């Protein structure tokens, strides 16, 4: 559905550049406003921060097998300018999340017109999940920006027979894959659409552009592929999928913390199919229902479907639809093998918002024609078309943003407000104050180790005796037992007793023989507070 304005295949004007700059600044301003409400790092953010520290400390990418390295590289870059690594991670995500309006605008201008690009960019900067994860120490905003920029560049390259754009698109896709491992699936799907089109048209130049793009992708990705081979002993595109599969199986089998069970072996896609034949059917059915319910509200689905169908069904329009649909390629694997959540479905929102915006404009055009206002002098002025849809989009965006301001921001903290996330920070900071600087701790929560600023090892899903033995083997002097663990590690039993002593409150540091629940463990530190899950820290003796 193209308007009368120039399409994206023509040169960008100064007005386009100024508009994209303005959209970027507005998006960045929104994220800076919400920054004040973020006070604890995400679980994955701990790993990204550690990889960034390893990079700056000259220890290389040893921790980047599960989490690809490009976002941690950005965090490391920002950390050279900001001493607080958590803030550096947030600023990196905020910067890349704000840049997302650029490829969204360019895709809207390319496939529809400027109005669609503007409206979709406004939705992108205000949509809750996209805005929220752009403020977290997470890689999603970086990935979405890079993969959609790569999509635009590859399309533009094939449309204009430009090898330079093809190489730039391949580099962007390579960096997207080095941010999140599904990037290669998007590039494969986009390339398939363009390759079929090139074959139909017998267009050798388009094939050459695709080859140039893939050549650039390989050059960008090959060093990391070699690194994965050196670490794992096999050639692979990602080191993440097997661990992520464990998360899905954990829910299916009803076994909490499955991947922390020492007996658990990493599992591949074919292993899942062979060993758990019911998993695919049950998981797919549940995810499809959840996706339809949680992706966007019903009325937004309606606008999106209208926009998808509007604009004609010529071969060129079908190719454009197929190309945009190809950006959803990883969603099929996610629905079948993994689980639906905001962090996994948000990469597909920006393209969907292009169709939503096109659908809103189509409805506006038909509604004005129905009441005879389509030829009103004001509406025939250049740039006036779509003014109602744009105004409605801006108002809707403001409504979305207003709903994201925390209602309980002035209420005293209680762990029930966020499931104990901020409580982990408080506990970590207490451990930072009271534990010896050289101490190594064992904890189930990476956040506790992060804020304690101590070396830490993960707590396995094993018996109490095995947990103590693992702590000794890995050199952990202290075992951190907090109240939130009770549901995940009931086998710790007696170690929870000090947390549930009636009336106990405050900080207690043991200086004598102390409470010794089992041979080899001594209570060293205890924190109790009505607002906290509490924590008991046991010293491993001997």
């Amino acid at each position: 559905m193209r308007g009368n304005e120039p399409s994206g295949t023509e040169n960008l004007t100064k007005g386009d550049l100024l508009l994209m700059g303005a959209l970027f600044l507005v998006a960045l301003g929104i994220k800076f406003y919400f920054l004040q409400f973020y006070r604890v790092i995400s679980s994955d953010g701990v790993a990204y921060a550690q990889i960034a520290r390893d990079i700056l400390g000259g220890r290389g990418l040893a921790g980047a097998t599960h989490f690809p390295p490009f976002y941690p590289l950005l965090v490391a870059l920002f950390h050279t300018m900001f001493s607080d690594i958590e803030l550096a991670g947030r600023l990196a995500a905020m910067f890349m999340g704000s840049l997302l309006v650029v490829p969204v605008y360019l895709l809207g201008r390319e496939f529809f017109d400027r109005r669609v690009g503007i409206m979709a960019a406004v939705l992108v900067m205000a949509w809750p999940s996209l805005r929220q994860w752009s403020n977290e120490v997470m890689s999603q905003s970086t990935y979405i920006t890079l993969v959609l920029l790569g999509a635009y560049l590859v399309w533009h390259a094939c449309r204009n027979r430009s090898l330079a754009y093809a190489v730039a698109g391949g580099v962007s896709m390579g960096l997207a894959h080095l941010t999140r491992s599904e990037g290669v699936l998007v590039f494969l799907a986009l390339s398939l659409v363009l390759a079929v089109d090139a074959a139909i048209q017998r267009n050798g130049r388009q094939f050459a552009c695709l080859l140039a793009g893939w050549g650039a992708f390989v050059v960008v990705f090959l060093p990391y592929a070699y690194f994965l081979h050196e670490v794992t002993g096999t050639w692979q595109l990602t080191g993440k999928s097997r661990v992520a599969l464990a998360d899905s199986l954990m829910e299916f089998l009803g076994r909490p913390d499955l991947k922390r069970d020492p007996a658990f072996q990493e599992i591949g896609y074919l292993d899942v199919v062979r060993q758990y034949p019911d998993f695919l059917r049950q998981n797919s059915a549940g995810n499809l229902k959840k996706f339809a319910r949680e992706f966007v509200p019903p009325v937004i689905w309606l606008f999106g479907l209208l926009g998808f169908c509007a604009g004609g069904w010529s071969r060129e329009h079908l190719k454009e639809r197929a190309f945009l649909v190809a950006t959803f390629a990883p969603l099929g694997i996610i629905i079948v093998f993994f689980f639906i959540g905001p962090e996994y479905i948000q990469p597909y929102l920006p393209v969907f918002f292009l169709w939503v915006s096109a659908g809103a404009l189509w409805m506006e055009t038909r509604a004005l024609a129905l009441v005879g206002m389509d030829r009103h002098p004001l509406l025939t002025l250049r740039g006036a078309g779509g003014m109602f849809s744009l105004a409605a989009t801006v108002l809707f965006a403001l409504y979305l943003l207003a709903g994201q301001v925390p209602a309980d921001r002035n209420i005293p903290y209680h762990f029930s407000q966020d499931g104990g996330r901020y409580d982990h920070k408080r506990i970590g900071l207490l451990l930072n104050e009271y534990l010896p600087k050289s101490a190594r701790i064992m904890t189930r929560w990476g956040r506790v180790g992060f804020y304690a600023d101590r070396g830490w090892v993960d707590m396995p899903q094993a018996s109490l005796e095995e947990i103590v033995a693992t702590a000794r083997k890995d050199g952990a002097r202290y075992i951190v037992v907090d109240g939130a663990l009770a549901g995940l590690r009931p086998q710790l039993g007696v170690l929870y007793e000090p947390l549930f002593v009636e009336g106990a409150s405050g900080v207690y540091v043991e200086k004598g023989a102390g409470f010794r629940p089992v041979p080899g463990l001594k209570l060293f530190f205890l924190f109790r507070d009505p607002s906290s899950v509490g924590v008991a820290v046991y010293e491993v003796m001997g």
Side-chain angles (χ1 to χ4, degrees):
M1 173 181 158
R2 298 187 184 275
N4 296 321
E5 301 178 55
S7 74
T9 54
E10 301 181 34
N11 292 330
L12 293 172
T13 66
K14 183 179 179 180
D16 288 315
L17 298 176
L18 289 173
L19 181 56
M20 287 189 289
L23 289 169
F24 166 74
L25 291 175
V26 172
L28 189 61
I30 290 170
K31 290 168 181 58
F32 265 107
Y33 170 77
F34 280 96
L35 181 61
Q36 63 185 301
F37 304 121
Y38 287 79
R39 52 186 183 177
V40 61
I41 197 168
S42 64
S43 296
D44 286 355
V46 173
Y48 291 125
Q50 185 56 54
I51 296 169
R53 282 173 170 164
D54 288 343
I55 292 169
L56 292 174
R59 294 181 292 276
L61 299 174
T65 52
H66 178 59
F67 296 96
F70 185 67
Y71 174 66
L73 282 167
L74 288 180
V75 176
L77 176 63
F78 274 79
H79 192 34
T80 62
M81 297 177 279
F82 301 92
S83 59
D84 185 334
I85 196 165
E86 181 180 350
L87 177 62
R90 293 193 193 282
L91 292 176
M94 288 163 58
F95 178 78
M96 293 303 295
S98 300
L99 277 179
L100 177 58
V101 299
V102 173
V104 169
Y105 173 79
L106 290 173
L107 286 168
R109 185 180 185 271
E110 179 79 31
F111 289 94
F112 303 92
D113 57 33
R114 284 189 177 94
R115 300 169 301 172
V116 169
I118 294 170
M119 291 166 62
V122 169
L123 288 173
V124 159
M125 66 176 69
W127 197 260
S129 61
L130 290 169
R131 200 280 311 154
Q132 174 189 342
W133 290 87
S134 293
N135 278 105
E136 292 279 11
V137 186
M138 294 292 282
S139 64
Q140 276 85 347
S141 61
T142 301
Y143 166 75
I144 301 169
T145 297
L146 288 170
V147 81
L148 292 186
L149 178 61
Y152 169 77
L153 291 170
V154 169
W155 172 270
H156 192 87
C158 291
R159 185 97 179 209
N160 294 276
R161 315 295 185 258
S162 170
L163 292 176
Y165 269 90
V167 169
V171 169
S172 187
M173 283 296 185
L175 294 177
H177 186 68
L178 290 179
T179 306
R180 292 188 66 82
S181 54
E182 55 263 41
V184 68
L185 297 177
V186 177
F187 197 17
L188 281 170
L190 296 177
S191 298
L192 179 61
V193 172
L194 294 173
V196 169
D197 177 63
I200 292 173
Q201 297 188 50
R202 298 184 178 180
N203 189 328
R205 183 71 175 180
Q206 188 160 311
F207 274 121
C209 287
L210 288 174
L211 289 174
W214 274 101
F217 178 94
V218 170
V219 168
V220 170
F221 174 66
L222 194 58
Y224 182 61
Y226 180 77
F227 163 76
L228 287 177
H229 178 265
E230 288 296 293
V231 173
T232 65
T234 60
W235 291 103
Q236 52 187 298
L237 291 171
T238 174
K240 183 178 181 180
S241 60
R242 289 176 177 264
V243 179
L245 277 170
D247 291 330
S248 300
L249 283 174
M250 180 175 67
E251 204 167 309
F252 174 72
L253 298 174
R255 292 176 59 187
D257 262 6
L258 174 64
K259 62 187 178 186
R260 288 181 170 86
D261 187 333
F264 174 72
Q265 299 293 322
E266 287 191 357
I267 192 168
Y269 294 103
L270 292 178
D271 299 320
V272 171
V273 173
R274 286 194 296 262
Q275 297 177 31
Y276 306 102
D278 291 338
F279 170 77
L280 300 185
R281 175 180 54 80
Q282 293 182 26
N283 199 56
S284 300
N287 277 338
L288 282 170
K289 291 177 183 177
K290 194 173 182 182
F291 177 72
R293 185 173 64 249
E294 296 185 4
F295 186 54
V296 292
V299 67
I300 305 297
W301 269 113
L302 175 62
F303 281 115
L305 293 174
L306 284 173
F308 180 84
C309 295
W313 295 91
S314 66
R315 190 179 76 178
E316 183 66 18
H317 284 110
L318 289 174
K319 181 179 77 172
E320 291 175 355
R321 285 188 183 89
F323 185 84
L324 292 177
V325 168
T327 63
F328 287 69
L331 187 60
I333 293 177
I334 291 171
I335 287 174
V336 173
F337 287 98
F338 300 105
F339 53 87
I340 291 296
E343 65 271 36
Y344 295 108
I345 61 178
Q346 61 173 291
Y348 314 104
L349 285 166
V351 168
F352 190 76
F353 288 156
L354 296 175
W355 289 317
V356 170
S357 303
L361 288 169
W362 183 87
M363 287 192 69
E364 178 185 336
T365 301
R366 296 303 180 274
L368 291 174
L370 189 64
V371 297
M373 290 184 61
D374 54 323
R375 298 189 181 278
H376 191 283
L378 288 177
L379 297 179
T380 57
L381 294 174
R382 179 175 174 80
M387 56 186 287
F388 295 110
S389 294
L390 179 58
T393 301
V394 171
L395 290 174
F396 181 56
L398 292 173
Y399 167 77
L400 290 174
L401 291 171
Q404 294 171 54
V405 178
D408 61 352
R409 60 190 182 279
N410 296 319
I411 299 175
Y413 177 77
H414 188 270
F415 69 86
S416 60
Q417 293 171 353
D418 62 358
R421 294 174 79 248
Y422 182 67
D423 203 26
H424 290 157
K425 179 176 182 177
R426 296 197 300 174
I427 289 170
L429 293 175
L430 281 170
L431 300 186
N432 178 271
E433 180 180 354
Y434 287 97
L435 294 186
K437 294 294 182 185
S438 60
R440 187 176 179 87
I441 65 175
M442 171 180 278
T443 176
R444 164 61 177 79
W445 315 109
R447 270 189 292 264
V448 172
F450 176 79
Y451 289 110
D453 196 20
R454 300 290 186 274
W456 65 280
V457 297
D458 204 3
M459 182 182 289
Q461 178 65 287
S463 68
L464 175 55
E465 292 75 16
E466 289 174 301
I467 289 173
V468 175
T470 302
R472 282 202 178 93
K473 178 174 69 73
D474 293 340
R477 183 178 170 186
Y478 298 97
I479 298 177
V480 181
V481 179
D482 63 275
L485 266 180
L488 292 172
R489 300 289 189 281
Q491 65 269 35
L492 298 184
V494 67
L495 302 191
Y496 296 118
E497 285 185 8
L499 296 176
F500 303 112
V501 175
E502 193 149 347
S505 185
V507 172
Y508 169 77
V509 179
E510 176 58 57
K511 299 186 186 295
F515 172 57
R516 300 186 179 229
V518 295
L521 287 186
K522 181 187 80 168
L523 180 66
F524 174 81
F525 174 87
L526 178 66
F527 169 68
R528 284 286 311 277
D529 188 272
S531 67
S532 171
V533 295
V535 63
V537 179
Y538 292 90
E539 185 175 2
V540 181
M541 309 298 293

